[in-house]
Amino acid sequence: MRAIRFHETGGPEVLRVDEIDRPDPEPGQVRVKVVATGLNYIETYHRSGLYPLSLPYIPGSEFAGTVDAIGAGVNGVAVGDRVATAAGLGGYAEYALIPAEKLVHVPAAVDLDLAAAVMLQGMTAHYLVFSTYPLKAGETCLIHAAAGGVGLLLVQLAHRIGARVIATVGSAAKAELARTAGADEVIFYREEPFAPRVRELTAGRGVDVVYDSVGKDTWEGSLDSLRPRGMLVSFGNASGAVPPTSPLVLSAKGSIFLTRPMLWHYIATPEELAWRATDLFTWIAQGELQVRVDRRFPLADAADAHRALEGRETAGKVLIIP
Ligand code: NDP
């Protein structure tokens, strides 16, 4: 089968097409014929070496397809089942593996490519607003990169809860998408410092929570945008990792709370995984959650997909199609 692997870390050019054997499922795993793989920012961290791995490595943990082979000890799954995962192995390939406990069945009403598009970014948006900082109606949140893959879903969920959403975006086209998703206010954070604007928009108080996926470039401003005892949820590093910081900063900024969550810790039990995936599939099937697929790249062009994501060109989901 064809798979994208990297043999050393570096820029997008290290992603290359290799012809390798189909992986055989080990006990507790299933093999899937992949229909679509979701591109996620974490794969750029894997590729660049920010998050170290043993090499060679096939990236891609989010994909959907049909079950093609089943390892020993797996129950409740049959060959031909339509399934998806956020925590699979080797998704940039024609066939990939899923640990059975990380698999969800995709309802007939949801297309497999939409399932691939929503598993990782959708469940991330879900845990951020329902579990990390359980957002309430009437509260105000600040969402950075609001027209990104996670961003557009996060804005919709926050709006649906009844919170006021202040969004930051990098272009006018992205502003329009954020507004359509439910943002009440939009700030162009590349053109003006966003924290003073957030103070203005909240009559000096600051927001209850900041959902920050940008990292290094927005760190200071996010700290300055919070109300006393608000929460900074730092969940990504699109602009680079946040530098080491003293806990005293948190007291100086108003006894604020800081957390740095990862999806894996919020879908660790079958109950939590099923809760989040079922909510998302139900809302998609009912037309209550819009998943914007920005573009689809053939498997062989995975490097171009990385370039587009890192170049801030994309708005919403990018899919890789084997
Ligand atoms: P996005 O689609 O959001 O793409 C990244 C966006 O970040 C860009 O489009 C851009 O939007 C913005 N951005 C700001 N500064 C930069 C920069 N210097 N370089 C590149 N982009 C920049 O990606 P994803 O939705 O896949 O991921 C968003 C973030 O969420 C990532 O940091 C990712 O690691 C994180 N994440 C964390 C998870 C967790 O559980 N902790 C799970 C899933 C994702 P604009 O042009 O509007 O500025």
Side-chain angles (χ1 to χ4, degrees):
M1 69 167 190
R2 286 176 318 131
I4 297 289
R5 294 199 296 186
F6 53 93
H7 297 250
E8 69 273 329
T9 55
E13 69 284 353
V14 301
L15 298 174
R16 67 183 211 203
V17 184
D18 284 343
E19 192 65 40
I20 59 172
D21 290 339
R22 279 192 297 183
D24 285 324
E26 291 182 9
Q29 296 181 335
V30 304
R31 185 174 67 204
V32 167
K33 184 170 184 344
V34 177
V35 167
T37 297
L39 176 65
N40 288 287
Y41 224 92
I42 193 168
E43 289 127 37
T44 70
Y45 310 145
H46 291 150
R47 191 210 70 222
S48 71
L50 179 67
Y51 294 177
L53 298 159
S54 54
L55 304 178
Y57 185 78
I58 308 174
S61 67
E62 177 189 49
F63 51 89
T66 50
V67 174
D68 159 77
I70 299 176
V74 175
N75 298 311
V77 187
V79 169
D81 281 1
R82 300 166 80 246
V83 298
T85 186
L89 307 167
Y92 287 27
E94 291 173 296
Y95 293 85
L97 299 172
I98 310 180
E101 75 277 8
K102 300 297 180 198
L103 161 161
V104 296
H105 282 90
V106 179
V110 177
D111 288 343
L112 283 175
D113 59 348
L114 276 195
V118 84
M119 286 302 291
L120 199 150
Q121 294 171 339
M123 290 201 293
T124 298
H126 191 284
Y127 86 70
L128 290 172
V129 298
F130 291 116
S131 302
T132 305
Y133 181 93
L135 194 58
K136 293 189 277 302
E139 290 188 324
T140 303
C141 64
L142 173 63
I143 297 176
H144 290 308
V150 177
L152 282 178
L153 297 165
L154 193 50
V155 171
Q156 289 180 72
L157 296 192
H159 176 73
R160 181 190 167 90
I161 285 168
R164 179 178 181 221
V165 178
I166 303 177
T168 63
V169 295
S171 71
K174 289 184 178 186
E176 197 48 45
L177 290 169
R179 281 205 186 88
T180 305
D184 299 285
E185 313 284 350
V186 177
I187 303 173
F188 294 96
Y189 59 175
R190 297 172 83 168
E191 285 166 24
E192 64 169 332
F194 64 85
R197 184 89 186 99
V198 168
R199 289 280 160 202
E200 246 174 65
L201 291 168
T202 55
R205 178 176 179 268
V207 296
D208 298 286
V209 57
V210 181
Y211 296 110
D212 187 339
S213 65
V214 172
K216 184 164 67 66
D217 289 357
T218 44
W219 172 251
E220 289 292 338
S222 292
L223 291 170
D224 288 336
S225 297
L226 283 161
R227 65 158 166 87
R229 292 163 57 184
M231 183 183 283
L232 173 49
V233 182
S234 173
F235 71 97
N237 341 285
S239 66
V242 174
T245 305
S246 162
L248 285 175
V249 169
L250 306 181
S251 53
K253 299 293 179 184
S255 299
I256 61 168
F257 294 84
L258 168 66
T259 182
R260 202 331 181 164
M262 291 284 274
L263 172 63
W264 321 124
H265 305 125
Y266 287 86
I267 52 169
T269 64
E271 292 74 22
E272 275 206 322
L273 174 62
W275 168 38
R276 301 191 199 287
T278 305
D279 273 359
L280 293 165
F281 288 154
T282 304
W283 297 331
I284 290 172
Q286 294 174 349
E288 293 171 31
L289 183 70
Q290 306 307 318
V291 181
R292 182 176 196 276
V293 176
D294 182 273
R295 52 191 112 161
R296 294 170 165 79
F297 287 86
L299 182 64
D301 295 342
D304 288 336
H306 276 223
R307 286 186 190 101
L309 185 66
E310 291 177 291
R312 308 171 79 153
E313 290 169 23
T314 62
K317 189 69 195 179
V318 178
L319 291 175
I320 294 176
I321 308 296

